[in-house]
Amino acid sequence: MKPMGTITKYYPFIDEGSKSILESLMTESSSYFDFVDRLAKVVLEKEASDNLVYIAEAQCWYAGDIRSAILDKYNSLVTIRPWRYYWGTHESYKFENCQAILQSLNSALEPSKDNWIATELLLAHAYNLSGRPEGEKLLSEATAILDRQPDYSCFKPLAHIAESAIDFREGKISDALTHCRKGYELAKANNDAVYEFLSLLRMGNYTRNSRPQESLNEFEQTYQIAQNLGVPVFAAETLCGVGLAYEILGEYDLAISSQLECLTDCPPVGNEIIFAILSRLYAALGDGQRSLEWADRCLDDREFHLGYLRKARALIILDRFDEAETLLNIGGKKVFQAGYEEHLARYHFVSGLLDMAKGEYDNAMGTLGQAYEILYPLGGLVYLNEALVALATAEVAQLKQSQGRDEVMSGKWLSILENHAHTFDMPGVAMQAALLRSEAFKSQGQLRDAHETLQRSLELSDSPGVKTLRKRINDRIRELNQLLREADVPSKKRKE
């Protein structure tokens, strides 16, 4: 591989011997990931300088390949201990994990906090903890060092990446995208492909929640970088992002295949988040059994609160309400302990689904409305979509039950869902809205309107991503055809 800024940025700060080893390894390596592997072996098989050990463990962290053997061999080197805590897993959000990271950082940064290692460690873990308030404090400390030390500007892309993640958490999407672009431009100028990847990945993830179709182009660019670097976890992160974009579009079949492909590139453990996504996707398609299977895999980690909510949702689909309520109560307690608003919304969402499944539509509307009120300002389209679909479903069921036929067609939430799908150009979500609108027409006895609604919805997309939805629509059309034929027979007899 050619020399790359991801590694050469360290040259001004390290000894000539370490620099020579890095240059030799880059020449021998076929890719960045191959380089990381070779570097890790060098520091494990020989006694290496503190700087070389630090760089080796740092690159393992970025590449998602934590080498505990390095941490064990050089356990007295406090500067590498913070690399034990990896980003992008649900562990990052736990209070205990956060405190462990902060403690390891305090040890690593003593006695001096004004050096290049402190700068990188603070920025990396500001990114790692961007979902928690502590991340902002770490970023502030790091940017103060960058202001005093212009020689550390090679780490500025990471500062922008961390700040973008914090802005996103606070709902400042435009600011988050601006920081991503700045990070990407600086990284590209420095030939730092790892920072390029992280900037573009974040950009795709943020764009996904405003322009989901456009985000697919950004993920394509991200995936190319991941392939060039040869880092499996980078490919996995990209595929996960692509899968979430397809899920937002309502293209559930492609979303599932993307997440399954993601798992092939992931490490064999710590994939609870992907398992949870797959459980949610199968639930969206009404496949309770498969949703349950993936939810059970989530709960390999009994502390993963989303696993309990996913399992409760799957059990609701399977009409196992008592079991669902037990799981929901456990998940609810863990959600309240975690203290995140968006997680509370997920608890309300599943609670509303349980009420709806029991036929308690008024309660369902209230609880699902609570979820929507939390989710709307946060702007995350995956959860906003499913909340709107659930509200529209409950509304149609409620109005059918009340026999308020005129009210069915003026349903507030069904109209909001239809407009929402149109605004964000989400064909699969629009198809789900059409299925509900058709059901509303059918309940009024307007079979031809119901039929026409479904026929038009088939024109929205013939993507492989909506294969299951198209099958469902075609099945409904066949049912309506039969009903129309039956309705036509008495009409003909009357004319005779």
Side-chain angles (χ1 to χ4, degrees):
M1 66 178 252
K2 294 178 181 178
M4 58 188 299
T6 302
I7 306 305
T8 60
K9 70 171 177 261
Y10 296 110
Y11 282 8
F13 317 125
I14 62 176
D15 58 278
E16 288 300 319
S18 297
K19 190 189 302 183
S20 177
I21 291 171
L22 292 173
E23 286 181 341
S24 176
L25 288 173
M26 279 192 283
T27 301
E28 296 168 7
S29 301
S30 60
S31 68
Y32 167 70
F33 194 65
D34 182 36
F35 164 82
V36 173
D37 187 56
R38 289 172 184 267
L39 178 57
K41 287 176 180 174
V42 165
V43 301
L44 283 171
E45 293 168 3
K46 302 175 182 178
E47 286 304 314
S49 69
D50 288 355
N51 283 338
L52 200 64
V53 173
Y54 171 85
I55 293 169
E57 194 59 49
Q59 300 314 303
C60 286
W61 189 84
Y62 288 114
D65 182 27
I66 298 296
R67 297 295 176 101
S68 56
I70 297 176
L71 292 160
D72 292 340
K73 179 178 177 180
Y74 298 94
N75 59 17
S76 62
L77 186 59
V78 294
T79 55
I80 68 170
R81 290 177 189 169
W83 297 125
R84 186 180 296 275
Y85 304 96
Y86 187 56
W87 56 278
T89 71
H90 74 278
E91 295 286 339
S92 306
Y93 299 97
K94 289 185 178 179
F95 175 79
E96 299 82 357
N97 190 68
C98 174
Q99 294 308 304
I101 291 173
L102 295 177
Q103 186 175 352
S104 71
L105 283 172
N106 286 335
S107 299
L109 303 185
E110 294 296 339
S112 172
K113 289 190 177 183
D114 214 0
N115 58 52
W116 65 274
I117 288 179
T119 306
E120 183 174 30
L121 285 173
L122 286 167
L123 288 172
H125 288 291
Y127 176 49
N128 196 11
L129 297 176
S130 59
R132 294 189 58 92
E134 293 84 353
E136 196 164 355
K137 180 176 181 296
L138 297 179
L139 178 61
S140 177
E141 290 181 40
T143 51
I145 298 175
L146 287 172
D147 289 341
R148 293 192 298 268
Q149 301 286 352
D151 290 345
Y152 301 164
S153 62
C154 59
F155 299 113
K156 277 190 174 180
L158 189 54
H160 284 297
I161 294 164
E163 190 151 6
S164 78
I166 291 168
D167 282 342
F168 182 73
R169 186 199 76 202
E170 295 174 350
K172 303 173 185 174
I173 311 301
S174 178
D175 291 343
L177 284 167
T178 297
H179 281 294
C180 283
R181 292 188 191 98
K182 287 181 179 177
Y184 175 72
E185 289 164 5
L186 286 172
K188 196 166 181 61
N190 295 341
N191 189 28
D192 194 330
V194 169
Y195 288 168
E196 281 183 58
F197 171 82
L198 293 175
S199 300
L200 276 174
L201 180 69
R202 282 281 169 182
M203 203 180 304
N205 285 335
Y206 304 153
T207 305
R208 186 179 69 219
N209 283 298
S210 55
R211 300 180 300 280
Q213 295 279 6
E214 184 180 318
S215 73
L216 292 173
N217 297 325
E218 292 172 348
F219 285 127
E220 186 176 346
Q221 190 178 355
T222 307
Y223 191 73
Q224 187 58 57
I225 295 175
Q227 293 294 94
N228 292 341
L229 293 172
V231 180
V233 75
F234 284 5
E237 288 282 323
T238 304
L239 287 165
C240 180
V242 168
L244 290 170
Y246 279 128
E247 184 177 2
I248 285 169
L249 295 169
E251 299 198 27
Y252 300 115
D253 298 280
L254 280 176
I256 288 169
S257 62
S258 295
Q259 298 300 352
L260 290 173
E261 190 178 351
C262 164
L263 284 177
T264 66
D265 288 317
C266 280
V269 294
N271 292 319
E272 288 83 7
I273 290 175
I274 308 301
F275 299 157
I277 292 171
L278 283 162
S279 178
R280 180 179 68 215
L281 283 165
Y282 280 112
L285 289 176
D287 189 337
Q289 189 54 48
R290 285 189 182 176
S291 178
L292 180 60
E293 289 166 8
W294 287 106
D296 279 332
R297 293 186 69 178
C298 291
L299 289 173
D300 287 345
D301 180 350
R302 292 291 169 181
E303 294 304 310
F304 186 36
H305 59 275
L306 277 185
Y308 293 94
L309 299 183
R310 295 287 190 266
K311 186 167 183 176
R313 184 179 181 183
L315 290 168
I316 291 167
I317 296 170
L318 295 170
D319 295 331
R320 293 160 61 178
F321 300 152
D322 290 343
E323 294 171 75
E325 191 160 5
T326 299
L327 271 293
L328 184 59
N329 289 336
I330 296 171
K333 289 176 184 176
K334 293 186 179 296
V335 162
F336 290 122
Q337 288 169 359
Y340 290 104
E341 253 197 326
E342 60 267 35
H343 296 173
L344 179 61
R346 295 168 198 176
Y347 168 74
H348 288 318
F349 171 72
V350 181
S351 297
L353 294 181
L354 181 58
D355 287 337
M356 180 162 49
K358 291 179 176 179
E360 299 169 1
Y361 299 121
D362 288 340
N363 289 343
M365 294 292 290
T367 310
L368 291 168
Q370 285 180 284
Y372 179 80
E373 286 173 13
I374 295 171
L375 293 168
Y376 182 77
L378 298 177
L381 289 181
V382 166
Y383 289 106
L384 200 56
N385 287 356
E386 61 180 13
L388 282 172
V389 169
L391 279 161
T393 303
E395 181 178 60
V396 170
Q398 181 186 48
L399 294 169
K400 282 169 62 180
Q401 185 186 57
S402 68
Q403 298 300 309
R405 297 190 183 280
D406 292 336
E407 294 180 69
V408 171
M409 294 314 301
S410 60
K412 166 189 167 183
W413 290 108
L414 182 51
S415 295
I416 290 174
L417 175 63
E418 289 167 333
N419 292 333
H420 175 76
H422 176 74
T423 299
F424 291 99
D425 189 18
M426 300 183 289
V429 178
M431 286 177 166
Q432 289 173 287
L435 282 162
L436 288 169
R437 178 64 71 181
S438 174
E439 187 65 25
F441 277 130
K442 180 185 170 185
S443 73
Q444 290 181 297
Q446 296 174 252
L447 299 180
R448 295 195 182 282
D449 288 331
H451 186 277
E452 185 181 341
T453 298
L454 293 179
Q455 283 291 141
R456 284 200 308 267
S457 73
L458 289 174
E459 298 171 6
L460 292 166
S461 174
D462 61 356
S463 162
V466 294
K467 180 181 176 181
T468 300
L469 286 173
R470 285 180 67 87
K471 181 181 182 305
R472 189 172 297 168
I473 290 167
N474 279 312
D475 288 345
R476 292 280 183 88
I477 288 173
R478 280 191 289 272
E479 291 172 15
L480 286 166
N481 283 336
Q482 179 62 33
L483 291 173
L484 284 165
R485 283 193 294 270
E486 291 171 0
D488 198 39
V489 170
S491 172
K492 285 181 179 178
K493 286 183 176 179
R494 282 195 298 272
K495 286 180 182 178
E496 290 172 0

XYZ file of all heavy atoms in Angstrom, residues 5 8-10 12-13 115-117 119-120 123 142-161 182-192 195:
359
model
N -2.040 9.260 5.062
C -2.043 10.221 6.161
C -2.555 9.656 7.469
O -2.210 10.165 8.543
N 0.951 8.480 8.516
C 2.039 9.468 8.463
C 1.759 10.692 9.327
O 2.689 11.440 9.643
C 2.311 9.909 7.017
O 1.128 10.491 6.460
C 2.727 8.716 6.158
N 0.501 10.907 9.730
C 0.204 12.060 10.599
C 0.929 11.967 11.933
O 1.147 12.978 12.606
C -1.296 12.206 10.813
C -1.965 11.134 11.660
C -3.410 11.516 11.992
C -4.116 10.429 12.768
N -4.954 9.592 11.916
N 1.318 10.744 12.316
C 2.021 10.570 13.594
C 3.516 10.882 13.498
O 4.191 11.015 14.521
C 1.866 9.124 14.086
C 0.453 8.711 14.407
C -0.225 7.793 13.614
C -0.221 9.227 15.517
C -1.520 7.389 13.905
C -1.526 8.837 15.824
C -2.168 7.921 15.001
O -3.447 7.529 15.302
N 5.506 13.467 12.897
C 6.163 14.570 13.620
C 6.311 14.336 15.123
O 7.082 15.036 15.786
C 5.221 15.758 13.361
C 4.433 15.392 12.159
C 4.270 13.913 12.236
N 5.583 13.337 15.663
C 5.536 13.170 17.113
C 6.331 11.963 17.626
O 6.432 11.772 18.840
C 4.078 13.021 17.574
C 3.122 13.966 16.933
C 1.989 13.500 16.268
C 3.342 15.340 16.979
C 1.104 14.377 15.665
C 2.453 16.222 16.382
C 1.326 15.739 15.715
N -0.708 17.193 25.027
C 0.141 16.499 24.066
C -0.717 15.831 22.997
O -1.942 15.803 23.089
C 1.044 15.484 24.772
C 0.247 14.448 25.551
O -0.666 13.818 25.010
N 0.558 14.282 26.829
N -0.072 15.299 21.979
C -0.810 14.750 20.832
C -1.617 13.513 21.199
O -2.715 13.301 20.670
C 0.159 14.450 19.683
C 1.167 13.370 19.955
C 2.373 13.513 20.567
C 1.048 11.988 19.606
N 3.028 12.303 20.640
C 2.239 11.353 20.050
C 0.076 11.224 18.980
C 2.461 9.986 19.879
C 0.301 9.872 18.807
C 1.472 9.266 19.248
N -1.091 12.691 22.127
C -1.823 11.494 22.540
C -3.105 11.896 23.270
O -4.185 11.339 23.021
C -0.942 10.589 23.423
C 0.129 9.917 22.563
C -1.785 9.538 24.145
C 1.081 9.018 23.334
N -4.763 14.594 22.871
C -5.688 15.156 21.885
C -6.478 14.066 21.181
O -7.709 14.128 21.076
C -4.898 15.975 20.836
O -4.086 16.943 21.494
C -5.851 16.684 19.881
N -5.770 13.035 20.703
C -6.459 11.968 19.980
C -7.383 11.169 20.892
O -8.514 10.838 20.511
C -5.464 11.031 19.304
C -6.172 9.963 18.484
C -5.245 9.091 17.669
O -4.093 8.882 18.103
O -5.674 8.613 16.612
N -10.544 13.178 21.644
C -11.435 13.284 20.486
C -12.094 11.948 20.153
O -13.288 11.885 19.842
C -10.649 13.799 19.272
C -10.243 15.266 19.326
C -9.316 15.603 18.165
C -11.472 16.173 19.301
N -10.515 18.732 24.281
C -9.657 18.476 23.128
C -9.510 19.710 22.245
O -8.403 20.026 21.777
C -10.228 17.320 22.306
N -10.613 20.414 22.007
C -10.537 21.601 21.145
C -9.700 22.703 21.798
O -9.051 23.484 21.096
C -11.939 22.132 20.804
O -12.705 22.297 21.999
C -12.669 21.181 19.880
N -9.696 22.742 23.119
C -8.837 23.709 23.821
C -7.363 23.412 23.531
O -6.556 24.329 23.332
C -9.110 23.660 25.323
N -7.001 22.122 23.495
C -5.624 21.740 23.160
C -5.314 22.123 21.710
O -4.243 22.666 21.398
C -5.396 20.233 23.364
C -5.607 19.846 24.828
C -3.987 19.835 22.921
C -5.522 18.343 25.086
N -6.253 21.833 20.802
C -6.041 22.161 19.388
C -5.834 23.660 19.187
O -5.034 24.080 18.334
C -7.238 21.685 18.558
C -7.369 20.177 18.348
C -8.708 19.859 17.675
C -6.221 19.646 17.499
N -6.542 24.475 19.970
C -6.377 25.930 19.870
C -4.979 26.359 20.303
O -4.405 27.302 19.749
C -7.426 26.641 20.737
C -8.827 26.526 20.160
O -8.947 26.224 18.948
O -9.797 26.720 20.920
N -4.418 25.653 21.306
C -3.084 26.005 21.808
C -1.967 25.388 20.974
O -0.850 25.886 20.963
C -2.933 25.523 23.269
C -3.828 26.231 24.269
C -3.411 25.906 25.696
N -3.519 24.484 26.007
C -4.587 23.905 26.536
N -5.674 24.642 26.773
N -4.594 22.613 26.814
N -2.280 24.279 20.294
C -1.243 23.510 19.605
C -1.595 23.328 18.127
O -2.156 22.307 17.729
C -1.079 22.135 20.276
C -0.700 22.168 21.740
C 0.764 22.571 21.928
O 1.517 22.685 20.976
N 1.164 22.776 23.174
N -1.279 24.291 17.275
C -1.608 24.166 15.845
C -0.932 22.976 15.170
O -1.403 22.510 14.128
C -1.119 25.495 15.251
C -0.191 26.083 16.264
C -0.650 25.582 17.595
N 0.142 22.451 15.760
C 0.829 21.291 15.177
C -0.028 20.025 15.235
O 0.287 19.035 14.579
C 2.155 21.020 15.905
C 3.196 22.093 15.635
O 2.988 22.859 14.671
O 4.194 22.170 16.367
N -1.099 20.059 16.019
C -1.957 18.880 16.146
C -3.168 18.947 15.206
O -4.156 18.236 15.377
C -2.463 18.738 17.584
C -1.384 18.605 18.633
C -1.664 18.808 19.982
C -0.073 18.269 18.293
C -0.685 18.681 20.948
C 0.914 18.155 19.249
C 0.606 18.364 20.580
O 1.586 18.236 21.543
N -3.083 19.806 14.205
C -4.231 20.012 13.316
C -4.622 18.753 12.540
O -5.730 18.678 12.013
C -3.938 21.144 12.328
O -2.832 20.808 11.496
N -3.706 17.758 12.473
C -4.047 16.506 11.776
C -5.228 15.790 12.439
O -5.864 14.932 11.818
C -2.830 15.582 11.735
S -2.180 15.139 13.358
N -5.524 16.148 13.699
C -6.639 15.514 14.405
C -7.946 16.310 14.277
O -8.979 15.890 14.794
C -6.301 15.339 15.888
C -5.104 14.463 16.143
C -3.932 14.991 16.672
C -5.138 13.112 15.820
C -2.826 14.187 16.888
C -4.030 12.295 16.033
C -2.871 12.837 16.565
N -7.893 17.457 13.574
C -9.094 18.288 13.462
C -10.266 17.585 12.777
O -11.424 17.817 13.146
C -8.763 19.594 12.735
C -8.163 20.650 13.663
C -8.086 22.004 12.974
C -7.620 23.069 13.970
N -7.538 24.408 13.329
N -10.008 16.725 11.752
C -11.165 16.020 11.181
C -11.945 15.236 12.231
O -13.176 15.196 12.198
C -10.525 15.083 10.151
C -9.249 15.749 9.762
C -8.764 16.418 11.019
N -11.225 14.618 13.179
C -11.893 13.844 14.217
C -12.701 14.752 15.141
O -13.763 14.365 15.634
C -10.865 13.033 15.009
C -11.399 12.006 16.002
C -12.367 11.041 15.333
C -10.239 11.241 16.654
N -12.200 15.983 15.350
C -12.958 16.954 16.153
C -14.281 17.281 15.470
O -15.334 17.355 16.123
C -12.136 18.218 16.359
N -14.239 17.470 14.153
C -15.476 17.762 13.417
C -16.429 16.564 13.439
O -17.649 16.725 13.558
C -15.145 18.135 11.979
C -14.594 19.522 11.816
N -15.325 20.653 12.121
C -13.371 19.955 11.401
C -14.585 21.730 11.883
N -13.404 21.333 11.451
N -15.880 15.367 13.341
C -16.715 14.160 13.366
C -17.418 14.033 14.716
O -18.620 13.760 14.788
C -15.860 12.905 13.081
C -15.317 12.941 11.647
C -16.674 11.627 13.309
C -14.166 11.977 11.400
N -16.791 19.468 6.665
C -15.489 20.037 7.031
C -14.497 18.936 7.378
O -13.332 18.970 6.973
C -15.650 20.994 8.215
C -16.322 22.315 7.862
C -16.427 23.211 9.084
C -17.082 24.545 8.723
N -17.248 25.415 9.929
N -14.983 17.946 8.155
C -14.117 16.830 8.518
C -13.647 16.067 7.294
O -12.465 15.700 7.174
N -14.582 15.849 6.356
C -14.237 15.111 5.142
C -13.216 15.873 4.303
O -12.231 15.295 3.812
C -15.499 14.852 4.322
C -15.216 14.207 2.987
C -14.817 12.878 2.905
C -15.316 14.941 1.807
C -14.541 12.287 1.681
C -15.046 14.353 0.580
C -14.650 13.036 0.522
O -14.366 12.457 -0.684
N -13.420 17.170 4.136
C -12.503 17.977 3.321
C -11.103 18.000 3.921
O -10.101 17.869 3.200
C -13.053 19.398 3.177
C -14.286 19.478 2.273
C -15.056 20.774 2.434
O -14.575 21.667 3.180
O -16.138 20.902 1.822
N -11.005 18.165 5.244
C -9.697 18.163 5.902
C -9.032 16.797 5.804
O -7.826 16.692 5.543
C -9.854 18.557 7.376
C -10.129 20.027 7.678
C -10.449 20.208 9.162
C -8.926 20.892 7.293
N -9.818 15.742 5.993
C -9.270 14.386 5.931
C -8.751 14.078 4.527
O -7.678 13.485 4.356
C -10.332 13.371 6.339
N -9.503 14.493 3.522
C -9.100 14.245 2.140
C -7.805 15.000 1.830
O -6.898 14.471 1.169
C -10.208 14.671 1.182
C -10.053 14.115 -0.227
C -11.325 14.292 -1.018
C -11.178 13.715 -2.425
N -10.903 12.268 -2.418
N -7.707 16.232 2.308
C -6.494 17.031 2.093
C -5.291 16.395 2.778
O -4.157 16.508 2.293
C -6.709 18.452 2.618
N -5.534 15.708 3.903
C -4.449 15.057 4.660
C -4.209 13.615 4.235
O -3.387 12.923 4.836
C -4.771 15.069 6.164
C -4.812 16.471 6.737
O -4.283 17.400 6.149
N -5.464 16.627 7.884
N -4.979 13.141 3.230
C -4.872 11.744 2.784
C -5.135 10.775 3.936
O -4.503 9.731 4.048
C -3.491 11.476 2.160
C -3.407 10.111 1.490
O -4.416 9.576 1.018
N -2.223 9.535 1.462
N -6.074 11.149 4.808
C -6.417 10.311 5.962
C -7.728 9.589 5.658
O -8.827 10.077 5.947
C -6.551 11.162 7.225
C -6.568 10.324 8.492
O -7.037 9.159 8.434
O -6.098 10.805 9.532
N -10.384 8.845 8.542
C -11.216 9.994 8.890
C -12.185 10.333 7.747
O -13.308 10.776 7.992
C -10.356 11.219 9.205
C -9.604 11.159 10.518
C -8.596 12.085 10.802
C -9.896 10.192 11.474
C -7.908 12.066 12.002
C -9.211 10.156 12.683
C -8.207 11.094 12.942
O -7.520 11.062 14.141
